[in-house]
Each structure stands twice: as structure tokens, then as C-alpha cells.
Amino acid sequence: MSTRSTSAGQSGAVERILVVGAGSGGTMVANKLDRSLGGLASVTVVDRSPVHRYQPAYYLDPFGYAAIESTSRETRDLLRSDIRFHQATVERFAPAEQAVVTSEATLHYDRLVVALGHRTAPDRQPGLAEGWAQTPERDAVYPFYEPEPARELGDALDELTGADRLVITVPETPVSCSGAPLKFALLAEDALPPATTVTLLQPGTQLFGDGPKEPYDEALQELWDDRDVEVRQKFTVDHVAPEDDRVHATDGRSVEYDLYAPVPPQAPPRALAESSLVGPAGYLEVDSETLRHRQENRVYGIGDCTDLPTSKTAAAARKQAHVLTENIVADTTSVVDEAHYDGTTACPLLTRKGHAILAMFDYEKPVAPAVESRLAWLVDIHLIPRLYWLWMRGYDPVPL
């Protein structure tokens, strides 16, 4: 990383902070920065959508545990009143000019926070987009990482019978909330008629992961032995054949479905992927502890669009927002101290109605027991959705 630079603390000038992306990470850090820096900085947020959605509702809505409609807010309403909001699409990054080109204007910055998140990329899985374009004659594909298919999936699940097969697939790409397909499979098995076949197809050989995730993976493996969910691993999706309702693997295997709930391949937004800010993995390259860009000293990153070696979740972004705010404030005001992110994240693994495992871990170790409990369910279904909107506004009343 190049030498840190400061300006407001030395000259008294108002620092222009530009946050691109108003998802969980961008919204939290924008509000925190505006509150922390006050008159030392002007904060501008750019996002293409005027609506901020609580994305865990996507996989909860089909089972009636959350409603997508009631877990959405206007983006402008979540931001502090003196934060400028531009509804626009980011088209190009120009770090040499300290500028971001959007569909509406070119915006210049003194410090840039990249918080663009992930996008679904169905074009990377041949046949998926065709199956997704549903018709009355062929309406069996519902990618639940998108709000519209997630809304419709509940009705489709209700129509399944004991003779039907529900298939869930996981792509090879990194995904936001890697636990979501596991949770969806277990909740489906719990809710559907007993004889319905639920099949989870994974490209890897572990349910949840290794390293600090290993205790939770082991707990899930034990739990899976008592559940009627078929898991096929080392199944890398090659293409979907919606004309005959089959998912085909790269090794020649195929599985037929009556209802298909795929996790689409995911990737950083194109403007970021095509910029000089990404590293070898195709994600924004940031220091894993300080969240500063490794090459551009006025650029920072948070959330799913970064190459941080941890799960891509709002819980991780929440912890990152604290660190990023402290470090940008330090850089802006010439404070020497810096904060460090230790990789802490969380993923409540819902296992059946009323029960969940609260997986919490950092870069090195698990930090919560791998125990199925009703408390973990109550935290995820009732407490977190309420706290979430406080977190978005930059407040953190409960240290979960």
C-alpha cells in the first residue's frame, strides 16, 4: 500500500467522500462517516436503486418467515439528511483523476469507498436465463437470490407433492451468504410434504466450509444424517436444460427437477471488474485488516465486492464498517492510530422451524459454539431484522 495521505486535518478543507453502493456496507459506513466527521467532510452516496432491501428475506419469504415487501426501505430515507444521494449507475472508475463516471455525471472525490456488492450473473450458467424467463407452460425455475422469483417461489413450493423433486444448486463462484442454499434446503425439507425429494447440488466437498467454519460444518454434517435432504457434492453445473427440466454437471451427470431453485453465479459489478482496482481474483483488492486499497491510498473497500478472505455477509460488512470509519476518520484528521478488522462475521444457519445454529467466526477461529438452539432462531427471525435498520443508520445498540 502506498503512503497514507491526509488533507482535511492539515488544511481545514472539507473532504469529499464518495461512497459507491448503498447496500448494507455502503449505507452503514456513509452514515457513520457523516456523523463522525461532521463539518470536516461532505459525504455523497451513489446507487442505481432507490430501494434498499433486507436480502435475507429472499430465502425466508417463500416459507412465510419474512416478507420481502415489508423488509424494504427507500434508500434516501436511510441516509442522514445532509448526505447527498445520486441515483445512478457506476460506469467507470478513474482513480488517477480521483473520479467515478456514472450514468448521470462524473463525480470527483478526495476519498472513495467502494461498496458495490455482488451481482447475479445468470449468463455464466448456460440455460439458466432461459429457464428464468418463465412462461405459463414452463414456470419451474426460481432463482431465490432475486426478489421477484423469491416472491413467487412460495406459491410454487405449495404446489409440490410427495412425488416431486426440488433441486437447489450452488455455483462455483463466490456467493453472498454462502449458508443461504443450506438454509433453504433444510427449511424446504422441513416445510414440504414428507415424500418430496429435496436435492442439494454442490461443487465442493463440504457443506459450509473448513478452517474457522469447520465446527459448524461438522455440526451440519451430523444434523444432515437425520434429515431427508439428498446432497450431491462435486457437482459443478455445466448448463441447465429447461426444455426437459434437467440440470447437467460438467462430468456428465444430470438431475431432473420439478422445481428448480438455483443460486445463480455471482460476480462484482462490471464497472469494478473492468477497472484497475481489482486484484487477481477479480475483486477489489484491499488490506485484510485496514480495508484500505493496496495500491490506491485514497480508495477503501467494504463488503461483498472486496477480496477479503471471509464470508460475504451483511454481518461481516457491519464489523467492517466500524473499522473503515475509524481508519477514514484517522486518515482525514491526521490521527496516527488505526483500526484492524479481524475477519469477524456471522451466519445464522436455520435448520428447521424454531431452530438454528449461530455460526460466528473470524479469520482464524470460531467464536460461537456449533449448537442448534431456539435462541439462535429467535435472534435471526425476530431480533436481527429489527436491529438491521438501526445498523443501516449507523447505530449499533447491541454488540452481536
Side-chain angles (χ1 to χ4, degrees), residues 174-366:
V175 299
S176 298
C177 188
S178 59
L182 307 177
K183 294 183 269 191
F184 184 85
L186 289 169
L187 292 177
E189 186 267 349
D190 186 51
L192 292 174
T196 306
T197 302
V198 179
T199 301
L200 176 66
L201 308 177
Q202 293 183 306
T205 59
Q206 293 173 308
L207 287 171
F208 189 53
D210 56 9
K213 295 182 179 181
E214 188 171 354
Y216 309 109
D217 195 278
E218 292 175 354
L220 285 170
Q221 292 282 0
E222 292 179 8
L223 184 150
W224 227 273
D225 293 338
D226 297 326
R227 302 293 292 274
D228 193 19
V229 180
E230 176 188 24
V231 180
R232 300 191 188 183
Q233 296 181 322
K234 296 185 179 180
F235 191 106
T236 301
V237 177
D238 180 74
H239 68 282
V240 181
E243 66 278 1
D244 61 3
D245 296 334
R246 298 192 76 88
V247 182
H248 295 265
T250 54
D251 62 6
R253 288 179 291 167
S254 69
V255 175
E256 187 175 7
Y257 60 82
D258 295 289
L259 180 61
Y260 181 32
V263 177
Q266 296 173 32
R270 291 185 179 87
L272 177 60
E274 295 169 358
S275 77
S276 61
L277 298 175
V278 298
Y283 288 82
L284 184 78
E285 55 174 348
V286 296
D287 183 274
S288 62
E289 294 185 354
T290 67
L291 309 182
R292 298 184 181 98
H293 194 273
R294 296 194 191 96
Q295 307 299 327
E296 298 288 339
N297 69 332
R298 289 184 174 272
V299 177
Y300 310 76
I302 187 172
D304 294 1
C305 67
T306 68
D307 64 357
L308 292 169
T310 190
S311 294
K312 299 181 181 297
T313 68
R318 171 177 161 246
K319 295 295 187 180
Q320 294 160 22
H322 291 286
V323 172
L324 190 53
T325 299
E326 288 189 36
N327 285 340
I328 292 177
V329 169
D331 292 351
T332 302
T333 58
S334 304
V335 174
V336 176
D337 293 341
E338 64 181 17
H340 296 270
Y341 174 56
D342 64 0
T344 295
T345 188
C347 181
L349 300 167
L350 306 183
T351 54
R352 55 194 167 108
K353 184 176 182 179
H355 293 80
I357 299 171
L358 181 56
M360 294 183 67
F361 47 92
D362 58 27
Y363 285 141
E364 298 181 351
K365 63 186 184 306

